[in-house]
Amino acid sequence: MLRIVLSRTLPRISGISNCQYSAAAIPVPSAQPEVHYNKLFINNQWQDAVSKRSFPTINPATGEVICQVAEADKADVDKAVKAAREAFRFGSPWRRMDASDRGLLLSRLADAIERDTAYLAELETLDNGKPYAVSYSVDVPMVVKCLRYYAGWADKWEGKTIPIDGDFFCYTRHEPIGVCGQIIPWNFPLLMQAWKLGPALATGNTVVMKVAEQTPLTALYVASLIKEVGFPPGVVNILPGMGPSAGSAIASHMDVDKVAFTGSTEVGHLIQQASGSSNLKKVTLELGGKSPNIIMSDANMAEAVEQSHFALFFNQGQCCCAGSRTYVQDTIYDEFMERSVERAKSRVVGDPFNMKTEQGPQVDEEQFKKILGYISSGKREGAKLMCGGGVAADRGYFIQPTIFGDVQDGMTIAREEIFGPVMQILKFKTLEEVVERANDTKYGLAAAVFTKDIDKAHYISSGLRAGTVWINCYDVFGAQAPFGGYKYSGNGRELGEYGLDNYTEVKTVTIKVPQKNS
Ligand code: NAD
């Protein structure tokens, strides 16, 4: 059954397709993994918050407290930045380390994470609510691949020699930016940590990372592995804490050289403003989306239905790139709707530690209520509720897989990021019309088109204002390929070679020579 569930749920996640995961290959999880680390990780030491404050982290499947976690504040951010600055000092062990050895440390970190896959997957599921089968076979393997990918780059990120005019020798160096603040969300706690650490460490920076208050546990365990594999003290500092206190202290810190943020567009604005009113630190943002997923009448119906289901419902709908505006050509609209509703009704919602579960709880009560609010607004504004629409369990934050039909472009559910298991299906007639409507959004993170006609696919893909376009597939990610947004969906790119640019200063060095020869 699990093989069926996984092959239906995760048919195209790059890197997963090659792994032969099956129920037999996934160890039976413990639903109560022991929590080993709940303090701040600064300078390779576990520390209480200066304020001695802590906050509870909650199991979203039950609403119960898992444990208390130290709560970083401005004073702790200052300590962590100081440690990161010292680790970045000219002549420090980290600065003098061979680039190949930085790569080796990242490789060893990947190995240690891979060794502890089952435990990390259990902890991720406990804290976030995503199904264990997914944590085990998607999140953790993608973390390992990301770190290995960037480990390989450490000694290959080269500058250039440049033939400038005159008797000079000119070259560029790719240097680390310095102390990087990194603020990550709760929807893919481990993976977002890896996306941020990989390029930052490969290029020789030091890091102060604030993890999401909803899901601090796996990042802290990874911190213990960072120490275990031998990263020097201060190179990576991990702080659980709240956004408006710890997060904001990083964003406005005068001694942080760069900040990388993933989360809501609303907070993205604040991060950019904080840079502008502090030290103009470099800012990269990976923000929200309202991604169009276009189904042309000639698409393979079964594939389009399954992939569109996956595009929206994967990870409880909590994906920044979720295909949350499904545009279906009028001639196939009814059949697509009928089959999508049938698929949504068959989605297995429940205990995330059960191997058959496809959908666990939403991450917390706030998101749960927010999503139910969007469902009410869909009904109120005249969309047609085709299935779901309510709470799926009597405890925890479970929501029924929900589909709205007859959705109009101006409705709130067609314009705002819901971040939950709520699918909007919209009808269109012509290709030109759908490209225009697809682009009529402030966001530009991702998009997809399903068609057997490659000319149509190219035409649509070149017209879409989005950082990623998938053709006849969805959510295909590889550490090698860049990801990021147009418009309000952010700036800069993560992953791939492009991801290194955002962690690099380019230094031009020009040397007078007696006589140049070509
Ligand atoms: P958020 O943007 O508030 O939180 C993301 C991270 O930013 C967390 O670590 C948080 O503590 C931190 N943060 C919050 N306020 C901050 C501030 N003033 N300064 C610095 N850091 C701050 O997101 P959320 O409240 O957890 O979720 C709200 C909505 O954001 C979701 O419904 C969803 O639409 C969107 N979201 C998007 C992503 C994504 O991957 N792009 C991830 C999570 C949430």
Side-chain angles (χ1 to χ4, degrees), residues 183-188 192 210-214 241-251 261-268 270-271 286-289 318-321 363-364 366-367 370 374 417-419 443 445:
I183 301 174
I184 60 171
W186 42 260
N187 52 344
F188 293 91
M192 292 302 100
K210 193 201 83 65
V211 298
E213 55 272 32
Q214 295 87 346
M242 304 298 145
S245 50
S248 154
I250 290 174
F261 170 77
T262 298
S264 62
T265 295
E266 190 190 350
V267 175
L270 299 177
I271 303 281
E286 203 267 89
L287 309 174
Q318 301 167 149
C319 293
C320 49
C321 54
V363 77
D364 66 6
E366 190 181 327
Q367 290 296 314
K370 184 173 161 193
Y374 276 117
E417 188 175 41
I418 299 175
F419 233 61
Y443 295 115
L445 192 56

Side-chain angles (χ1 to χ4, degrees), residues 335-351:
E335 184 187 352
F336 184 91
M337 175 66 80
E338 192 182 317
R339 292 171 71 158
S340 294
V341 168
E342 192 186 317
R343 176 67 183 94
K345 283 182 173 166
S346 73
R347 189 167 183 77
V348 183
V349 182
D351 174 9

Side-chain angles (χ1 to χ4, degrees), residues 218-380:
T218 46
L220 291 176
Y221 187 76
V222 169
S224 78
L225 301 181
I226 285 169
K227 183 174 178 176
E228 176 192 316
V229 302
F231 280 92
V235 171
V236 179
N237 305 275
I238 307 279
L239 305 177
M242 304 298 145
S245 50
S248 154
I250 290 174
S252 57
H253 206 288
M254 293 300 285
D255 203 25
V256 168
D257 300 302
K258 178 230 159 76
V259 67
F261 170 77
T262 298
S264 62
T265 295
E266 190 190 350
V267 175
H269 281 281
L270 299 177
I271 303 281
Q272 189 98 53
Q273 283 162 12
S275 163
S277 56
S278 59
N279 61 345
L280 291 177
K281 57 179 68 62
K282 291 167 175 39
V283 176
T284 46
L285 303 170
E286 203 267 89
L287 309 174
K290 193 71 190 173
S291 300
N293 175 24
I294 299 169
I295 320 298
M296 303 300 295
S297 57
D298 67 350
N300 175 318
M301 177 61 80
E303 277 282 303
V305 167
E306 185 56 33
Q307 287 296 308
S308 303
H309 176 85
F310 174 62
L312 188 284
F313 291 102
F314 177 60
N315 208 39
Q316 295 65 246
Q318 301 167 149
C319 293
C320 49
C321 54
S324 51
R325 288 183 293 146
T326 311
Y327 285 99
V328 182
Q329 201 152 23
D330 51 0
T331 50
I332 57 161
Y333 180 88
D334 290 341
E335 184 187 352
F336 184 91
M337 175 66 80
E338 192 182 317
R339 292 171 71 158
S340 294
V341 168
E342 192 186 317
R343 176 67 183 94
K345 283 182 173 166
S346 73
R347 189 167 183 77
V348 183
V349 182
D351 174 9
F353 282 100
N354 186 322
M355 291 290 197
K356 290 179 183 161
T357 295
E358 291 175 282
Q359 181 177 313
Q362 307 311 127
V363 77
D364 66 6
E365 191 175 2
E366 190 181 327
Q367 290 296 314
F368 174 76
K369 286 185 173 158
K370 184 173 161 193
I371 295 161
L372 292 175
Y374 276 117
I375 292 174
S376 300
S377 100
K379 291 186 206 160
R380 213 173 38 244

